[in-house]
């Protein structure tokens, strides 16, 4: 134990004394192992068949429940795996377009897959390191403890240093499989863009997000860099720990990090439902207060967003590990949200206004981050959103109400019908941040069922101000001289006055800018509607030309369609006869019209961005 503590101290690893006792005897759950197969042609057929089957089920008029629809989509994407799991996770963010029950069903997607054989894993590691596996690890468990569509995880012990580590190894066929599926999804975008309200989904942005996610997740160096960055930034966060990454043994398809012997939050929440007395005894043994843990997680997330400008994007219970003395370890940094300053300024203003119950200002800041503004007056939208905010606020004041009715996620539920009615969608940065709160809410609603979010936000604001004042104490001698002369005090008063005036002016400017952008959106909407009508008309007329020519010149088509002695047949026969080259010229003209309309639509979308 003494040697382990010395190594931990030297490498700044987790103190072994923080490892908690087991909550329950873990039953062995061996991961299923299967041989690697390469079948790209069959994959395309399977995907198309599954999507068509899903569409058929969703078209059933008897199906009215959003939860049932979400379950159908989730099961289909779960069976397809790979990129389609990531696509489902992106769609789960769109609570501005879909009902909450639908999004919750999709958020239950779990990326599980069969593992590849131990022999393949050993060969991949030796190829990555260019040396025998025994020269890197003194112990290596050949059977993985977990597997997903991108990779699998093994437990090992480093020969150099003797640390127990988790080794994440990428599937050899993952890059080809993922990029093949992305190409297939890209080919489906054209027909999807012709559907009504397709502009609300921002399919091209979704494809870009999907490519960005896959690019980072297929190169483990991104996660290794994120781990190192979060470990540095979160070191000052109270009771938060991030595992050490061993960069020496990390490659594009292998990442080695410190193994954390803790209890997963998912395990605790499950046991809390089935055996609460056991959880209470375990808390006493390990000096853990669940309310304190919940506040630690929420305050850390606020701080990650507004002070560090990047945040853990997937804080579901399976990525939170409990340690002794209310310590918490965060794992799996494959999903990291990064924020630019312009967006962060608006979102920070939004959260601060929520904390101060200044809902009018919160709505202005929220609308300034939107991907598109409504095609009607902005004032009526503000009035309806204000009613939604006030409804949410009234519920936050009732301590006995369940957390799900007054969480930040619940506020999105109240706004969703309004946003959908005004055909408005939020940008991806806002949705990613909302998802971070939503995934953490799974834990918060169990640990802090009576939490008042505005009060908790105000608690964060006070802490942030204290940290800012602490940084300001480290001043230069020249600044100290100004303080003695009283200049800093006068400058501070003048600055407060100017900030107040600037805030009032900014609110007016925001409202006028939103009204102006909304008026532009009306014209864009009119042009987009006309161009989509041109697209649909060109496709329909082209199909009609081909059908009419075949019906006039090919007897077999007439027989197959039973056009003889029918009104439709007489109508087609009475149409002017045209040669094949005349029909071809007409089709070329229609194709040109379709292409021109598509270019106009693309140009408008680029201008809006």
């Amino acid at each position: 134990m003494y040697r382990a503590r010395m190594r931990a101290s030297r490498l700044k690893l987790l103190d072994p004394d923080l490892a908690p006792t087991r909550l329950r005897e873990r039953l062995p759950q061996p991961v299923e192992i299967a041989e690697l197969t390469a079948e790209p042609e069959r994959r395309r057929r399977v995907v198309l068949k599954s999507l068509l089957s899903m569409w058929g089920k969703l078209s059933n008029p008897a199906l009215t429940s959003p939860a049932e629809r979400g379950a159908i989509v989730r099961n289909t994407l779960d069976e397809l795996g790979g990129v389609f799991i990531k696509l489902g996770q992106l769609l789960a963010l769109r609570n501005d377009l879909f009902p909450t029950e639908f999004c919750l069903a999709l958020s239950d997607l779990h990326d599980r897959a069969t593992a590849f054989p131990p022999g393949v894993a050993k060969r991949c590691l030796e190829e990555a390191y260019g040396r025998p596996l025994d020269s890197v690890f003194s112990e290596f468990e050949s059977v993985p403890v977990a597997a997903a569509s991108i990779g699998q995880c093994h437990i090992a012990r480093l020969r150099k240093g003797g640390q127990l580590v988790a080794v994440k190894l990428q599937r050899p066929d993952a890059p080809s499989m993922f990029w093949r599926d992305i190409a297939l999804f890209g080919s489906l975008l054209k027909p999807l863009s012709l559907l009504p309200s397709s502009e609300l989904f921002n399919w091209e942005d979704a494809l870009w997000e999907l490519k960005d996610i896959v690019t980072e997740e297929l190169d483990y160096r991104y996660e290794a860099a994120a781990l190192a960055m979060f470990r540095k930034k979160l070191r000052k966060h109270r009771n938060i720990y991030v595992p050490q990454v061993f960069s020496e043994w990390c490659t594009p398809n292998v990442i080695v990090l410190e193994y954390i012997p803790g209890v997963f939050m998912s395990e605790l929440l499950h046991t809390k439902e089935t055996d609460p007395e056991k959880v209470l005894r375990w808390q006493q043994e390990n000096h853990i207060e669940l309310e304190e843990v919940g506040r630690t997680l929420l305050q850390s997330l606020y701080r990650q967003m507004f002070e560090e400008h990047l945040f853990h994007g997937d804080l579901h219970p399976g990525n939170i590990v409990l340690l002794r003395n209310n310590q918490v370890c965060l794992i799996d940094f494959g999903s990291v949200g990064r924020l630019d300053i312009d967006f962060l300024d608006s979102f920070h203003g939004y959260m601060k206004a929520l904390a101060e119950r200044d809902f009018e200002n919160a709505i202005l800041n929220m609308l300034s981050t939107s991907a598109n503004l409504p095609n009607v007056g902005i004032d009526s939208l503000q009035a309806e959103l204000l009613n939604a905010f006030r409804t949410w606020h009234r519920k936050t004041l009732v301590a006995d109400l369940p957390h799900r009715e007054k969480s930040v996620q619940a506020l999105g539920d109240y706004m969703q019908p309004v946003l959908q009615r005004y055909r408005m969608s939020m940008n991806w940065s806002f949705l990613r941040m909302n998802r971070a709160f939503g995934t953490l809410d799974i834990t918060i609603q169990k640990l802090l069922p009576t939490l008042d979010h505005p009060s908790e936000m105000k608690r964060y604001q006070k802490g942030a101000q204290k940290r800012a004042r602490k940084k300001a104490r480290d001043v230069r001698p020249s600044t100290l001289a100004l303080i003695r002369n009283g200049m800093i005090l006068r400058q501070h008063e003048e600055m407060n006055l100017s900030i107040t005036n600037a805030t009032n002016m900014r609110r007016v400017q925001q409202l006028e800018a939103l009204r102006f952008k909304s008026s532009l959106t009306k014209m864009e909407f009119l042009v987009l509607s006309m161009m989509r009508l041109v697209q649909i008309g060109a496709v329909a007329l082209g199909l009609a030309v081909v059908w009419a020519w075949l019906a006039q010149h090919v007897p077999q088509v007439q027989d197959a369609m039973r056009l003889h002695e029918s009104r439709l047949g007489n109508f087609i026969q009475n149409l002017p006869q045209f040669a094949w080259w005349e029909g071809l010229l007409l089709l070329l003209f229609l194709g040109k019209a379709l292409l021109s309309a598509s270019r106009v639509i693309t140009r408008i979308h680029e201008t809006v961005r």
Side-chain angles (χ1 to χ4, degrees), residues 15 118 290 595:
D15 186 346
L290 295 184
L595 183 60

Side-chain angles (χ1 to χ4, degrees), residues 249-457:
W249 305 114
C250 293
T251 71
N253 59 345
V254 180
I255 182 170
V256 178
L257 61 151
E258 175 185 4
Y259 176 75
I260 304 297
V263 172
F264 284 96
M265 181 66 76
S266 54
E267 181 182 345
L268 179 131
L269 295 181
H270 180 268
T271 309
K272 195 170 185 289
E273 292 289 333
T274 57
D275 192 352
E277 294 297 327
K278 189 172 187 178
V279 170
L280 287 174
R281 290 194 300 271
W282 180 82
Q283 288 180 238
Q284 293 171 357
E285 290 174 4
N286 297 280
H287 308 290
I288 293 175
E289 297 179 10
L290 295 184
E291 289 190 1
E292 180 66 23
V293 170
R295 284 197 164 83
T296 294
L297 289 167
L298 190 55
Q299 291 293 325
S300 177
L301 182 56
Y302 286 142
R303 193 170 172 181
Q304 290 172 43
M305 289 180 175
F306 303 129
E307 297 178 43
E308 317 298 354
H309 300 174
L310 76 165
F311 58 93
H312 194 303
D314 194 15
L315 283 174
H316 65 76
N319 287 338
I320 301 171
V321 181
L322 293 167
L323 306 170
R324 283 181 180 270
N325 304 328
N326 295 324
Q327 297 281 325
V328 180
C329 177
L330 307 182
I331 62 172
D332 194 356
F333 287 82
S335 176
V336 173
R338 297 176 178 84
L339 303 173
D340 60 82
I341 299 300
D342 292 336
F343 171 81
L344 185 63
D345 180 57
S346 294
F347 192 81
H348 193 188
Y350 167 75
M351 297 297 288
K352 184 177 180 181
L354 279 186
E356 296 171 354
R357 275 80 169 180
D358 183 3
F359 299 131
E360 291 183 0
N361 199 20
I363 291 170
L364 285 174
N365 280 283
M366 186 197 73
L367 292 178
S368 66
T369 68
S370 63
N372 66 320
L373 288 167
N375 305 308
V376 296
I378 200 73
D379 296 326
S380 56
L381 170 65
Q382 284 183 289
E384 292 198 37
L385 285 175
L386 189 58
N387 288 333
F389 274 69
R390 287 171 176 167
T391 300
W392 171 76
H393 177 243
R394 285 195 297 269
K395 296 200 173 186
T396 64
L397 301 177
V398 182
D400 294 338
L401 283 178
H403 178 269
R404 64 177 178 274
E405 294 187 25
K406 52 186 181 179
S407 66
V408 174
Q409 191 79 3
L411 175 58
D413 298 343
Y414 300 130
M415 290 192 293
Q416 190 268 338
V418 179
L419 298 178
Q420 193 172 35
R421 187 161 56 252
Y422 283 85
R423 301 173 63 83
M424 178 182 166
S425 60
M426 308 306 297
N427 67 25
W428 286 104
S429 294
F430 190 95
L431 294 170
R432 280 195 297 268
M433 295 182 79
N434 197 46
R435 184 202 179 210
F437 281 111
T439 52
L440 184 57
D441 266 347
I442 299 172
T443 298
I444 296 299
Q445 66 182 347
K446 300 293 185 182
L447 305 188
L448 297 167
T450 61
L451 178 71
D452 175 10
H453 270 279
S455 298
E456 197 65 26
M457 292 174 201

Side-chain angles (χ1 to χ4, degrees), residues 116-126 129 132-145 152-159 163-170 254-256:
F116 47 92
V120 177
K122 181 179 179 181
R123 186 183 72 242
C124 290
L125 285 168
E126 290 180 342
Y129 293 138
L133 193 62
D134 294 343
S135 66
V136 180
F137 303 110
S138 58
E139 301 174 17
F140 184 82
E141 295 186 9
S142 58
V143 177
V145 293
Q152 59 193 42
C153 182
H154 297 259
I155 305 301
R157 188 177 297 278
L158 287 174
R159 183 168 293 282
Q163 290 84 23
L164 196 63
V165 294
V167 182
K168 290 177 63 176
L169 174 63
Q170 189 177 112
V254 180
I255 182 170
V256 178

Side-chain angles (χ1 to χ4, degrees), residues 167-181:
V167 182
K168 290 177 63 176
L169 174 63
Q170 189 177 112
R171 293 179 64 90
D173 59 348
S176 60
M177 178 182 68
F178 271 69
W179 288 118
R180 183 175 65 241
D181 283 353

